[in-house]
Amino acid sequence: MVDFKVVVSDRNAGRAYNIEASGAAASAFVGKKIGDKVEGASLGLAGYSLQITGGSDRTGIAARKDLPGAGRRKILLSKGFGFHPDHEGERRRKTIRGNEITQDFVQINAVVATYGEKPMDELLGKAEATEN
């Protein structure tokens, strides 16, 4: 059985929500690619549409949108996501995961593409934090 932690970012509210997805909710993500849209109803977000922006596997290796396929690969990077050079012109071979979501993923990152009628706090059962 597949289990994912889905981190949904709400850019309008400036908040991120951690949602545990297992079973049918998790299988809605398997086979999708970074950049694809998924209906939020499987996560309890009726009326919402989510766009997958990234993810990582159990060892923390990040997925990269421009790398096709499902497995890990060692690629030579000079800049961009997954590599932060120490010196100008530095290149390094790094292990990066492809853009297809598989059962090896642990975390999936997504942003809200289309908003539903009810606020996310209400749908997820989150109470507003009180000020102390």
Side-chain angles (χ1 to χ4, degrees):
M1 175 104 44
V2 177
D3 293 329
F4 295 131
K5 294 176 187 172
V6 182
V7 179
V8 179
S9 296
D10 182 0
R11 292 181 177 166
N12 289 347
R15 294 187 64 182
Y17 302 89
N18 292 323
I19 303 171
E20 296 286 333
S22 62
S27 64
F29 288 94
V30 175
K32 301 286 185 187
K33 295 184 179 187
I34 296 174
D36 288 351
K37 291 187 179 178
V38 179
E39 290 300 318
S42 62
L43 297 174
L45 299 172
Y48 283 78
S49 175
L50 308 174
Q51 183 175 8
I52 301 171
T53 58
S56 60
D57 64 5
R58 58 184 161 70
T59 59
I61 295 176
R64 197 171 159 120
K65 183 178 182 174
D66 60 353
L67 186 62
R72 295 182 190 176
R73 296 196 190 111
K74 285 191 170 234
I75 60 174
L76 188 64
L77 298 175
S78 60
K79 63 179 180 177
F81 182 74
F83 176 64
H84 305 285
D86 295 327
H87 310 289
E88 186 177 336
E90 179 182 5
R91 297 187 309 166
R92 196 178 303 162
R93 193 163 301 277
K94 300 283 288 183
T95 302
I96 301 291
R97 184 166 280 287
N99 65 359
E100 186 177 336
I101 306 295
T102 63
Q103 296 178 354
D104 296 330
F105 276 69
V106 171
Q107 177 180 328
I108 298 173
N109 304 325
V111 295
V112 177
T114 307
Y115 288 86
E117 293 180 12
K118 294 185 179 181
M120 288 182 72
D121 287 334
E122 186 178 319
L123 291 172
L124 296 174
K126 310 276 185 192
E128 286 295 320
T130 59
E131 294 184 27
N132 291 330

